[in-house]
Amino acid sequence: MVVSTYYPARAVVDLAAIRSNVRALVGCARPNADRTTQVMAVVKADAYGHGLLPSARAAVEGGATWLGTAQVSEALELRAAGVSVRLLTWLYAPGAPIDALLLADIDVSVAAPWALAEVVAAARSTGRTARIHVKVDTGLGRNGLEIDDLPAFLRDAVAAQTDGLLEVVGIWSHFAFADEPAHPTVLAQVDVFDRAVRLAEDAGAHLEVRHLANSAATLTSPRAHYDLVRPGLAVYGLSPVPQIGGPEEFGLVPAMTLEASLATVKRVPGGRGVSYAHAYTTPSDTVLGVVPIGYADGLPRHASGHLPEHPGGPVRVGAGAAARTLAVAGRVCMDQVVVDLGPGAAEQAGDPVVLFGTGADGGPTAEDWAQAAGTISYEITTRLGARVPRHHVDTETAR
């Protein structure tokens, strides 16, 4: 039986861009000569859709000394693949394989008393001293300990530390409005975090790293850098603060290009309804092109086109000087979208299409798709379906 790997679309991920982005973030995280701030590249969600292992290795090559994952399984996968830098994982429910994490020398976030109890039990059963980072809710209202509950928690954690079962090596939190640097909650959360750090230090925690800054705070809020910053989106070259500046403003380059080929090109008369529910109708005789990628691949259906009041997600059709950026016409379907190529179109089946990329040639970006769908660029790359092949290239070593 022959199994084909053919697919009519692919995501091309430039590992050189990831390395370059991390170098830029390392530079951003060290604005003062008297302070060293490490960089944790967050590679959760399959490295924001870019491919976990290749992206993680490129980030380390770029200068990241830590890697972070939300899910336990991804942290274990990194260790099993031989990635040797410090790893932190932080999102799990009761019954998670803490034993496996300790045996793999992975740092574990602890955000509740039950989690501390499970880490202590795992340390006893494995004979390994756990390395924990205490998660504090400084104002996001999500995971983490309330500041008023922190003293009692620290007493138990430091008691376990005294018994040699664990080391409280980190304390951390997450911003609610880091993408709005002037928002009053940003400094308010910094103040709460400073209080949490003092409580931990006074309790006898053996802190190695204090960390609060995500991508947005890494780029815009030096006050929040502490010992470690945790950029995620910026590692992959996208701006977490597009209202302030695009990737180029921060020395970043988008690492992913989503490309396909035209499948069908045909002439249709004016007044022809296009795609489901005829949300788009051709204004005159024209040429339609079908691009074989749809919402099952991760394209947001909210980026459907309802001209003239709502153009759909942008696509770059053709190559070189003849390339032009058009919009999705009609509903985004499960496996395909339609583009109105215009009455004088010269495109043919097989011609290249870029749905998003670096934007360097004037073509569309993930941020453009986010704007078309009313969402954020994080969602555009992370929702890209598993059936879309990831092709990892390295434009740095290919020179």
Side-chain angles (χ1 to χ4, degrees):
M1 179 179 178
V2 177
V3 178
S4 174
T5 59
Y6 167 78
Y7 202 74
R10 66 179 188 166
V12 180
V13 178
D14 186 0
L15 300 177
I18 293 176
R19 279 197 298 271
S20 175
N21 295 333
V22 173
R23 290 188 194 112
L25 292 162
V26 168
C28 182
R30 297 177 179 173
N32 301 309
D34 60 348
R35 180 177 71 197
T36 298
T37 300
Q38 299 181 73
V39 170
M40 172 191 291
V42 177
V43 293
K44 64 180 181 177
D46 195 32
Y48 286 56
H50 291 69
L52 178 64
L53 295 176
S55 299
R57 293 186 176 114
V60 171
E61 291 165 358
T65 54
W66 289 72
L67 296 173
T69 72
Q71 300 297 335
V72 166
S73 58
E74 290 189 316
L76 291 170
E77 183 179 349
L78 287 167
R79 271 290 184 263
V83 176
S84 60
V85 298
R86 289 247 61 92
L87 293 177
L88 172 67
T89 189
W90 56 79
L91 192 60
Y92 53 93
I98 305 298
D99 289 27
L101 294 173
L102 302 192
L103 291 171
D105 190 28
I106 293 170
D107 290 24
V108 181
S109 174
V110 176
W114 69 259
L116 178 64
E118 293 206 3
V119 168
V120 167
R124 292 186 190 280
S125 67
T126 62
R128 296 293 185 94
T129 301
R131 290 171 51 90
I132 71 167
H133 297 229
V134 178
K135 178 69 181 291
V136 182
D137 183 355
T138 55
L140 179 58
R142 205 171 63 177
N143 207 17
L145 292 147
E146 293 293 308
I147 190 73
D148 291 341
D149 297 330
L150 189 57
F153 176 90
L154 286 169
R155 282 195 296 271
D156 292 340
V158 171
Q161 180 177 268
T162 301
D163 291 341
L165 295 168
L166 58 82
E167 292 284 323
V168 184
V169 300
I171 188 163
W172 72 298
S173 189
H174 198 69
F175 281 116
F177 283 89
D179 55 349
E180 298 180 33
H183 197 279
T185 62
V186 174
L187 289 180
Q189 284 193 249
V190 168
D191 290 341
V192 176
F193 187 68
D194 286 341
R195 180 183 168 199
V197 168
R198 289 193 298 271
L199 288 171
E201 291 173 339
D202 291 346
H206 296 164
L207 296 182
E208 297 175 11
V209 287
R210 303 145 187 86
H211 48 110
L212 178 59
N214 56 4
S215 284
T218 299
L219 295 173
T220 65
S221 301
R223 171 71 177 81
H225 285 185
Y226 296 94
D227 308 300
L228 179 70
V229 294
R230 305 186 312 269
L233 185 76
V235 168
Y236 311 101
L238 301 175
S239 172
V241 285
Q243 78 281 11
I244 295 175
E248 67 282 353
E249 298 295 324
F250 303 104
L252 306 174
V253 178
M256 180 188 288
T257 298
L258 180 60
E259 57 186 35
S261 301
L262 287 174
T264 300
V265 176
K266 65 179 183 179
R267 294 193 173 275
V268 299
R272 170 66 63 84
V274 176
S275 194
Y276 290 119
H278 289 177
Y280 176 85
T281 301
T282 59
S284 60
D285 293 358
T286 192
V287 177
L288 299 179
V290 172
V291 184
I293 184 171
Y295 63 73
D297 303 293
L299 294 188
R301 194 166 180 268
H302 281 79
S304 298
H306 309 277
L307 294 178
E309 67 278 9
H310 185 280
V315 295
R316 186 81 161 172
V317 179
R324 53 207 181 107
T325 300
L326 303 169
V328 169
R331 296 274 176 86
V332 173
C333 305
M334 183 179 291
D335 309 292
Q336 56 197 287
V337 295
V338 180
V339 178
D340 187 341
L341 298 170
E347 286 85 5
Q348 300 177 355
D351 282 355
V353 175
V354 171
L355 291 100
F356 59 81
T358 67
D361 61 353
T365 65
E367 178 61 29
D368 292 329
W369 271 85
Q371 292 294 324
T375 185
I376 54 178
S377 59
Y378 301 69
E379 185 178 352
I380 299 302
T381 63
T382 58
R383 70 182 293 160
L384 195 63
R387 71 181 187 175
V388 178
R390 271 62 165 181
H391 288 251
H392 293 93
V393 300
D394 195 328
T395 56
E396 196 170 50
T397 60
R399 292 172 186 160

